[in-house]
């Protein structure tokens, strides 16, 4: 990933944008955090949050005119949060001192004239930045018009105590300062690195500064600079009308002064000073409107209990739309913007990078739900796919992540399963049935029935293509394997006379649509709508339809499936996430390979959506759900019932070994029955007859060990004699490494065959061994 | 790593008809290599990786190396 690509990804995810309240606050107080702390009763923390942004929090917390409240999103569901009132209670009740953090001293002297709210803010900010600051006040006390505020709003003792902070922070204060002389501005700007003049100060001689049309001192609204270099000004006599506006003006001036004396551009990068429109999106779905909590005694404001309730109304605005619907995004405890950064750091080997990044990249199911719900279409699957391609290119992809699925792809595209033919007896094909490797592996009998039905119903020839669409290669970032698969399919389709392809699997459809746009495609379900259903079709009851994630962009297929179900008499239940929002079953993106535990959680989450039986039209969805104990029918089980007519949902889940076997048997059977050909060469190891008890088979399934692997080990052990023998019970144990996994099998001979007692495997390779005994 | 957890005496090498003895086995994975104490056949070098080791500490080590 290039740095600019990282930035593009980061910009797409607006989760870190500030909430409405903070963006509307002229000084960007973290109101969301503040309100949360109040809601948690953490008053000390809440005061610290105020002090982080506010100058003189005990003053401003009482008098701020809170423009944030107009923007507060709660206003769209009831009334805005009373942020101002909460601030007031906070500074009233918490007595602990707040000492602002200070930067190291800079030994640069700045002058501030006047001590209204704007001047005080300039002084506060610059003192904290480490400047030597002298405050010139012509009057007898600091505070300017702040003293004119009603006592119940700003008690005089609070004001004087807070003003004392200035000297504590190290300011030099000159009261009765002579600032009315004609050369005041010159003298100050010659003796100080920069000068700020509060225009709300009585009796300052401003004769050297240019005036605007209204006769006031001309001040640049962005930088608060006057016509004289190094002299800044702000503040009006009526500052108390909007105290926070006065504070903003002071803060702008302080920023300019800091930049001016350190020779940094005063203009650049100031767009987000003051109120601005945030890009944060927060959904109000499910947020019931709530009115503002009223104080029992309006004159004294909220008591603690009322404040807690009021703060409890805060939505704690944030986006996380994608995280709410995706177990994977939730699992890694962040959100896409963070993940993009982690993946980038990992790829660039930034020191301190997070070591979970490989797992992060390989766990996404690439289902695209995130992009559907994200206000900016952030597609985590694309980010992860790019990262996988890069890992493969840099030889950093752990083989364990995808190898098993890639071997499945290899099997399906091998002679064991792959086939492309015209209908028996014909030399042309108007159609070409592509049942998909997974449906053939899960429901071979139903596929065979469907092919028969299509031949019977459609004229012009229905060819058959058995193969894999290459999806595992795509998901694994193995473009070499993926495009090889696509090329083969294209070549065979040409050779068969470019027929219309009838595709049963939504994943295949999605891939073909993108990679093979020249092929006319139609889904099996749409075809069956046209031909009508066979009269052997089963009747359907109440079913909740689980759309596969790959049907997200295919409303036509989704509708077609529903119409077929209606014809079968089904009472259709729609799940909360359907249509363009289905989740994945954990197979997509090879999640179940790279992160089986997460895939189980994903399945559990989908199963929790309804108690009804599920109806799937993706073989992997059906098998994953069935394996997790959910009664799930595949649509093909209803339309072409094979021994499942009584209870189509009762068909057991198909494990990996059985899938291979089913595919191979389907091909054999079709070759024999339809084309009158006997098959297929059988490898030596396949002749080893093995008997595997169900518990061992289940263990093998979990450990991703195929029956064929076990046969290979036994064949090797028996052929070479390289095997161990238990002295206790005569059991044999042999090991063999056909690919990149070493398989171990415990077995015992029985008649012509073998009984398997256990199987396990590891990926570490045995390089050599030596014994210590001489 | 020392992972010699199974008594080598209970398994013997069938081909050489001798009992396994303690030995050292070198493994490699994802660019790293490791020596582990395991039972081996003193004559032909056939090794024994016990199940607990393969699905336990070895699997954990594989995962760590994969996420490096
Ligand atoms: S939906 Fe997700 S990716 Fe999109 S902006 Fe929100 S948090 Fe970021
Ligand atoms: S609801 Fe809370 S977080 Fe959202 S804008 Fe209002 S105060 Fe801020
Ligand atoms: S699993 Fe699906 S929703 Fe979740 S991040 Fe990946 S593509 Fe997005
Ligand atoms: Zn031996």
């Amino acid at each position: 990933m290039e740095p600019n690509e990282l930035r593009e990804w980061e910009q797409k995810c607006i989760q870190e944008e500030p909430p409405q309240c903070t963006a509307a606050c002229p000084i960007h107080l973290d109101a969301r955090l503040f309100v949360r702390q109040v809601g948690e009763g953490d008053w000390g923390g809440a005061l610290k949050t105020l002090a982080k942004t506010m100058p003189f929090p005990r003053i401003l917390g009482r008098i701020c005119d809170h423009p944030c409240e107009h923007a507060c999103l709660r206003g769209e569901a009831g009334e805005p949060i009373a942020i101002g009132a909460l601030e007031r209670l906070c500074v009233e009740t918490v007595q602990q001192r707040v000492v602002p953090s200070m930067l190291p001293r800079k030994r640069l002297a700045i002058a501030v004239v006047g001590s209204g709210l704007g001047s005080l803010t300039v002084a506060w900010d610059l003192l904290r930045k480490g400047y030597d600051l002298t405050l010139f006040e012509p009057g007898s006390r600091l505070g300017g018009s702040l003293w004119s505020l009603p006592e119940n709003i700003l008690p005089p003792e609070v004001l004087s105590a807070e003003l004392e902070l200035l000297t504590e922070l190290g300011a030099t204060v000159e009261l009765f300062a002579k600032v009315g002389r004609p050369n005041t501005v010159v003298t100050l700007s010659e003796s100080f690195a920069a000068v700020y003049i509060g225009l709300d100060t009585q009796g300052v001689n401003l004769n050297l500064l240019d005036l605007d049309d209204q006769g006031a001192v001309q001040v640049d609204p962005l930088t608060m600079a006057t016509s004289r270099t190094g002299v800044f000004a702000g503040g009006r006599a009526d500052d108390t009308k909007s105290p926070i506006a006065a504070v903003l003006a002071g803060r702008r001036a302080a920023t300019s002064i800091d930049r001016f004396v350190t020779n940094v551009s005063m203009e650049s990068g100031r767009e987000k000073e003051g109120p601005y429109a945030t890009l944060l999106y927060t959904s109000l779905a499910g947020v019931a409107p709530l009115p503002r909590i009223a104080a029992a005694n309006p004159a004294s404001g909220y008591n603690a209990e009322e404040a807690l309730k009021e703060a409890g109304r805060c939505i704690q605005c944030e986006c996380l739309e994608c995280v709410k619907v995706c177990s994977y995004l939730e699992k890694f405890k962040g959100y896409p913007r963070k993940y993009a950064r982690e993946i980038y750091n990992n790829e660039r080997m930034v020191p301190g990078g997070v070591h979970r990044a490989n797992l992060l990249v390989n766990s996404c199911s690439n289902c695209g739900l995130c992009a559907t719900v994200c206000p900016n279409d952030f597609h985590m699957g694309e980010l992860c796919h790019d990262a996988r391609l890069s890992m493969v290119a840099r030889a950093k992809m752990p083989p364990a992540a995808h190898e098993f699925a890639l071997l499945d792809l290899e099997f399906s595209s091998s002679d064991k399963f792959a086939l492309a033919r015209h209908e028996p007896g014909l030399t042309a094909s108007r159609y070409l049935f592509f049942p998909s490797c997974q449906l053939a592996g899960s429901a071979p009998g139903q596929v065979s029935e469907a092919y028969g039905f299509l031949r019977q119903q459609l004229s012009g020839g229905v060819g058959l293509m058995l193969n894999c669409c290459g999806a595992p290669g795509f998901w694994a970032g193995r473009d070499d394997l993926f495009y090889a698969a696509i090329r083969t399919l294209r070549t065979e389709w040409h050779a068969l006379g470019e027929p219309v392809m009838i595709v049963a699997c939504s994943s295949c459809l999605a891939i073909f649509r993108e990679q093979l746009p020249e092929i006319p495609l139609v889904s099996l379900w749409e075809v069956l709508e046209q031909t009508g259903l066979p009269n052997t079709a089963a009747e359907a009851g109440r079913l909740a339809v689980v759309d596969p994630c790959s049907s997200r962009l295919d409303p036509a297929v989704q509708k077609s499936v529903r119409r077929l179900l209606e014809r079968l008499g089904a009472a259709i239940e729609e799940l909360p996430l359907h249509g363009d929002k289905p989740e994945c079953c954990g197979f997509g993106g090879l999640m179940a390979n790279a992160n089986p535990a997460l895939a189980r959680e994903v399945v559990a989450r989908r199963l929790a959506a309804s108690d009804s039986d599920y109806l799937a039209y993706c073989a992997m969805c059906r098998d994953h759900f069935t394996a997790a104990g959910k009664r799930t029918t595949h649509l093909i089980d209803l339309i072409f019932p094979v021994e499942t007519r009584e209870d189509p949902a009762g068909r057991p889940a198909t494990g990996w070994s059985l899938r291979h076997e089913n595919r191979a048997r389907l091909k054999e059977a079709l070759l024999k029955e339809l084309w009158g050909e006997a098959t297929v060469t059988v490898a030596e190891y396949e002749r080893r007859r093995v008997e595997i008890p169900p518990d061992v088979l289940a263990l093998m399934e979990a450990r991703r060990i195929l029956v064929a692997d076990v046969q290979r080990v036994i064949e090797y052990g028996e052929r070479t004699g390289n095997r161990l023998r238990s002295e206790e019970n005569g059991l044999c144990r042999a090991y063999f490494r056909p690919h990149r996994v070493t398989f171990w099998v415990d077995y015992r001979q029985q008649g012509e065959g073998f009984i398997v007692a256990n199987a396990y495997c590891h990926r570490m390779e045995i390089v050599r061994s030596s014994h210590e005994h001489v | 790593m020392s992972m010699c957890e199974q008594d080598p005496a209970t398994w013997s090498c069938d081909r050489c008809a001798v009992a396994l003895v303690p030995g050292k086995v070198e493994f490699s994975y994802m660019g790293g290599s490791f020596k582990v104490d395991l039972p081996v056949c003193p004559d032909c070098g056939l090794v024994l990786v016990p199940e607990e080791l393969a699905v336990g500490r070895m699997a954990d080590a594989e995962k760590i190396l994969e996420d490096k």
Side-chain angles (χ1 to χ4, degrees):
Chain A
M1 200 190 312
E2 297 301 317
N4 62 319
E5 293 172 299
L6 171 66
R7 263 194 306 281
E8 273 170 39
W9 282 114
E10 285 187 323
Q11 271 164 16
K12 268 195 166 189
C13 174
I14 43 73
Q15 163 66 10
E16 286 176 13
E17 283 279 310
Q20 311 290 338
C21 48
T22 298
C25 167
I27 57 170
H28 306 147
L29 180 94
D30 191 346
R32 177 177 59 190
L33 174 62
F34 166 76
V35 175
R36 188 176 83 212
Q37 288 166 324
V38 170
E40 288 165 354
D42 176 12
W43 289 99
L47 183 63
K48 275 197 194 124
T49 302
L50 294 183
K52 208 164 170 216
T53 318
M54 280 185 170
F56 305 98
R58 288 188 202 280
I59 299 176
L60 198 58
R62 284 178 162 86
I63 66 172
C64 178
D65 45 310
H66 45 75
C68 54
E69 292 184 15
H70 298 293
C72 169
L73 198 66
R74 203 9 133 174
E76 289 175 30
E79 289 171 277
I81 303 297
I83 302 170
L86 296 177
E87 287 178 0
R88 179 175 183 90
L89 184 63
C90 177
V91 299
E92 275 174 3
T93 41
V94 192
Q95 291 313 318
Q96 95 203 27
R97 272 173 51 88
V98 273
V99 190
S101 58
M102 308 283 287
L103 290 179
R105 302 304 295 259
K106 286 201 173 57
R107 313 209 166 280
L108 272 168
I110 314 286
V112 170
V113 177
S115 60
L117 204 44
S119 302
L120 287 174
T121 303
V122 177
W124 173 277
D125 283 6
L126 292 177
L127 282 165
R128 290 186 60 188
K129 287 191 159 86
Y131 291 97
D132 284 347
L133 194 120
T134 309
L135 198 138
F136 298 93
E137 167 55 50
S140 59
R141 62 178 179 187
L142 299 179
S145 58
L146 288 172
W147 292 99
S148 64
L149 289 164
E151 280 195 21
N152 65 335
I153 302 281
L154 183 59
E157 63 281 7
V158 170
L159 178 53
S160 31
E162 201 67 349
L163 289 172
E164 271 163 30
L165 279 176
L166 269 185
T167 21
E168 271 180 49
L169 296 182
T172 310
V173 176
E174 261 191 43
L175 295 176
F176 307 108
K178 308 252 177 303
V179 291
R181 301 192 189 104
N183 62 347
T184 290
V185 172
V186 180
T187 320
L188 286 175
S189 60
E190 279 169 2
S191 9
F192 290 90
V195 182
Y196 175 82
I197 300 171
L199 298 174
D200 51 339
T201 318
Q202 301 295 315
V204 190
N205 192 320
L206 301 165
N207 64 348
L208 289 170
L209 302 176
D210 288 356
L211 304 181
D212 63 17
D213 300 343
Q214 271 94 51
V217 169
Q218 186 189 313
V219 175
D220 181 324
L222 179 69
T223 63
M224 313 307 284
T226 66
S227 56
R228 199 180 165 92
T229 309
V231 178
F232 300 79
R236 295 280 180 252
D238 60 356
D239 264 355
T240 45
K241 287 214 180 110
S242 174
I244 193 66
V247 167
L248 172 61
R251 179 144 293 170
R252 275 188 198 281
T255 303
S256 300
I257 290 172
D258 183 39
R259 291 185 180 199
F260 170 74
V261 299
T262 52
N263 276 319
V264 176
S265 155
M266 282 202 285
E267 281 83 19
S268 67
R270 303 190 69 162
E271 301 76 18
K272 291 200 168 165
E273 253 175 18
Y276 66 96
T278 174
L279 296 174
L280 184 69
Y281 169 80
T282 305
S283 165
L284 290 177
V287 178
L290 286 176
R292 186 171 277 199
I293 302 293
N297 181 350
S300 61
Y302 284 143
N303 60 35
E305 195 186 324
E306 291 160 345
L308 239 60
K309 277 198 198 143
E310 176 62 7
R313 294 197 309 126
C314 170
I315 298 160
Q316 289 290 306
C317 295
E318 60 179 344
C319 179
L320 294 189
E321 287 300 290
C322 55
V323 180
K324 290 182 204 163
V325 293
C326 172
S327 306
Y328 153 66
L329 290 173
E330 192 187 8
K331 186 84 190 169
F332 286 83
K333 299 201 158 43
Y335 41 85
R337 190 185 162 98
K338 265 194 172 169
Y339 298 150
R341 167 70 64 178
E342 267 181 37
I343 291 169
Y344 174 87
N345 286 350
N346 183 55
E347 205 176 295
R348 301 241 149 187
M349 303 208 285
V350 173
V354 195
H355 276 322
R356 64 176 194 175
N358 285 354
L359 191 61
L360 175 70
V361 165
N362 284 326
S363 297
C364 167
S365 69
N366 201 358
C367 71
L369 177 57
C370 45
T372 310
V373 299
C374 172
N376 288 322
D377 305 340
F378 195 117
H379 196 316
M380 188 70 190
E382 281 172 12
L383 175 67
C384 289
H385 184 242
D386 288 352
R388 291 181 199 182
L389 287 174
S390 148
M391 283 165 75
V392 169
R394 290 177 292 120
K396 290 277 183 200
M397 180 61 86
H402 306 126
E403 196 168 60
F404 189 76
L406 294 175
L407 290 172
D408 196 49
L409 162 65
E410 189 182 303
F411 179 92
S412 292
S413 50
S414 77
D415 243 13
K416 295 254 181 255
F417 178 62
L419 177 91
R421 303 221 167 179
H422 292 301
E423 185 174 326
L426 300 185
T427 51
S429 294
R430 205 161 126 207
Y431 300 98
L432 180 63
F433 182 36
F434 189 90
S436 91
C437 60
Q438 298 303 3
L439 187 59
S442 172
Q446 292 83 332
V447 164
S448 173
E449 291 285 310
Y451 183 42
F453 185 73
L454 292 173
R455 292 199 312 277
Q456 191 190 345
Q457 298 293 315
L458 301 172
S459 57
V462 185
L464 179 68
M465 189 187 275
L466 300 179
N467 215 317
C468 169
C469 67
F474 175 79
W475 287 327
R478 290 291 303 272
D479 272 1
D480 52 338
L481 301 176
F482 176 51
Y483 289 112
I486 293 295
R487 269 194 306 276
T488 306
L489 300 182
R490 181 186 285 120
T491 310
E492 291 183 337
W493 171 73
H494 275 299
L496 291 172
E498 308 186 351
V500 174
M501 262 173 102
I502 301 174
V503 182
C505 165
S506 285
S507 297
C508 304
L509 265 179
I511 285 197
F512 294 165
R513 217 166 260 147
E514 175 131 350
Q515 300 296 330
L516 299 164
E518 65 272 40
I519 301 188
L521 297 167
V522 59
S523 90
L524 173 64
W525 320 118
E526 290 167 302
V527 172
L528 291 173
E529 253 198 287
Q530 297 302 316
T531 60
L533 296 174
N535 39 31
T536 48
E539 259 176 50
R542 181 179 179 79
L543 292 167
V545 181
V546 274
D547 293 311
C549 59
S550 47
S551 75
R552 182 182 320 285
L553 303 174
D554 208 342
V557 168
Q558 295 177 341
K559 287 198 186 105
S560 175
V561 165
R562 284 162 175 77
R563 284 191 296 263
L564 285 178
L565 284 171
E566 274 161 20
R567 280 198 218 170
L568 294 167
I572 297 176
E573 177 184 326
E574 293 295 1
L575 295 172
L577 291 175
H578 67 277
D580 66 347
K581 296 195 184 62
E583 301 151 277
C584 176
C585 65
F587 176 65
L590 304 181
M591 174 197 276
N593 275 266
N595 196 340
L598 177 62
R600 281 193 292 274
E601 279 176 40
V602 166
V603 168
R605 178 178 175 132
R606 281 196 84 172
L607 296 190
S610 166
D611 288 334
S612 308
D613 283 9
Y614 279 3
L615 181 284
Y617 49 107
C618 159
M620 295 316 287
C621 290
R622 194 214 75 105
D623 278 347
H624 277 186
F625 298 157
T626 306
K630 179 75 172 179
R631 288 174 49 80
T632 309
T633 308
H634 193 290
L635 185 51
I636 204 161
D637 287 314
L638 290 175
I639 301 178
F640 300 104
V642 177
E643 295 164 24
T644 52
R645 165 166 272 287
E646 293 312 309
D647 183 17
R651 181 159 67 87
T654 325
W656 288 100
S657 293
L658 189 54
R659 249 167 232 283
H660 282 199
E661 200 175 314
N662 281 342
R663 287 180 205 142
R665 291 236 178 98
L666 175 68
K667 175 173 176 175
E668 263 178 57
L670 291 173
L671 276 181
K672 197 157 146 216
E673 287 157 26
L674 301 182
W675 286 279
E677 290 174 24
T679 36
V680 198
T681 46
V682 176
E684 198 51 43
Y685 70 84
E686 291 169 290
R687 295 186 207 280
R688 298 285 172 183
R689 265 197 284 124
V690 295
E691 189 187 318
I692 306 178
D695 55 327
V696 178
L697 201 59
L699 189 68
M700 285 166 52
E701 195 61 33
R703 291 177 172 173
R704 303 233 186 276
I705 301 171
L706 298 175
V707 174
D709 298 324
V710 164
Q711 287 174 310
R712 280 193 179 98
V713 176
I714 296 178
E715 197 276 330
Y716 171 82
E718 292 303 299
R719 178 168 46 81
T720 62
N722 289 345
R723 60 187 172 223
L724 306 172
R725 194 176 288 277
S726 161
E727 283 158 15
E728 280 148 24
N729 52 21
L731 210 60
C732 291
R733 175 175 287 184
Y735 61 96
F736 183 57
R737 188 178 175 87
H739 298 284
R740 284 192 284 183
V741 177
T742 304
F743 297 99
W744 292 75
V745 178
D746 290 357
Y747 64 95
R748 126 182 21 255
Q749 183 142 20
Q750 195 193 49
E752 291 291 285
F754 301 88
I755 295 190
V756 178
N758 192 17
Y760 56 94
C761 59
H762 54 79
R763 288 185 164 269
M764 289 199 178
E765 189 175 359
I766 302 166
V767 195
R768 70 176 73 82
S769 65
S770 59
H771 62 94
E772 287 155 354
H773 135 134
V774 199
Chain B
M1 276 193 279
S2 167
M3 299 183 173
C4 207
E5 32 226 295
Q6 195 158 346
D7 179 12
T10 58
W11 289 95
S12 58
C13 176
D14 198 41
R15 193 172 60 177
C16 311
V18 293
L20 301 186
V21 299
K24 280 219 182 306
V25 180
E26 190 182 333
F27 289 92
S28 82
Y29 191 55
M30 306 246 0
S33 71
F34 321 86
K35 283 223 171 85
V36 186
D37 296 328
L38 284 176
V40 303
C41 170
D43 293 349
C44 72
L46 211 62
V47 310
L48 171 62
V49 176
E51 179 180 13
E52 312 77 64
L53 177 63
V55 304
R57 286 194 280 165
M58 224 157 135
D60 295 342
E62 286 169 5
K63 280 212 186 66
I64 292 168
L65 290 165
E66 283 159 7
D67 227 3
K68 268 266 157 65

